[in-house]
Amino acid sequence: MAKRIFIVFCLLFAVFAFCGADCYAIKETIVPTPIKAEDILRIKENGSKADIPVLGFPELDEKTKSMAEDICKKSDTPVTVDCDVFLSGRLISVLLREKTSGSEKYQSVVCDAKNGHIVKLSELVSESSPDEICAFAEGDGDFIVTLHGIGLCGEKTVKVIPLAQAALKYDVTDKNALFPWEKAIAFTFDDGPSKYTDTILDFLDKSGAKATFFILGSHVEANEARISRMKALGCELGCHGFSHTDMRKQSADAVKFEVEKTSELIYEACGEYPTVFRAPYGEFSASTKGIKLHRIKWSVDTLDWKSRNKQKVVDAILSCAKDGDIVLLHDIFGTSADAFCEAASELMKSGYRLVTVSELAGLSGKEPDMKTVYYKRK
Ligand code: NI
């Protein structure tokens, strides 16, 4: 989803004034830009009105809308519903503030930005959390998650309990979560590793960016440390076969042997099996059908192997690459490694996140689909 989303990050002094010692002001933001007018849905009903944010997550938007409509319909006296949006790691919380003369009530909806699904408190916290949270989770009470804690929504108050006190079932601060509104590109490197891979890994190390390496089995030996470093940097390891033979010309058994042998070598080098597969030349054929790994091709071919010219490769990347693309490079050429560093830093400056192929939405958070050949973000 390419839609750009802007989010208001309001300071809820009104809410936190009730919190006594837990009072705080939220200063950190992930998406600091204020929401745009067209991203607000205005509901008017029964003399009541509600302004709710449209955030681009269908489940969340639909739920927020129906809750706001319900509040407006059920109220005997006109009410105003305002919303505040909180981002905490991978969780987006929308707090609906129902205001009538003299009082304020809270309802909320929380969504996991990584998969777009609504999250219940019972799905987030385990039973070893403090009793107060457990009781709330059991009763399906409304809650929000902010950078500072879990806010339990009651009449007139939102009581905030620090996240550290709750026993969470999963890591809400997951830095790998890719938000649907983010511009993301997956760089892929074939045929390595080689000594030039170090230039790429140094860049990734410094910048926090990620990439995917389609490793050639015959290149594992003497490059074990490089493969371990890829893993340590959070990069994705892919299998590119062993001998770089065109797999269309091989039997299914020969392909299976190549892939299994390479996978074992990668495992021996770093303790992790590859998760994705790219056939040499990107030629997936009948003989590659039995391979139980995600098949990844590319949407931007830099022809780096042909030009071996840094500037041409930089230009090829910057003139073609857009949100959701998978870019093909080879880490066996110094020109490709240098070009990657230059183009990648330009892309990052213009707001792109460099992710692994599985982090590109459409690959992550879904049941593995071994039949599809992925060219780009679905
Ligand atoms: Ni190749």
Side-chain angles (χ1 to χ4, degrees), residues 190-191 240 244 279-281 330:
D190 288 11
D191 300 355
H240 196 45
H244 214 277
Y281 314 103
H330 298 80

Side-chain angles (χ1 to χ4, degrees), residues 77-80 98-104:
T77 52
V79 291
T80 308
E98 174 189 346
K99 286 188 256 183
T100 46
S101 49
S103 77
E104 191 156 316

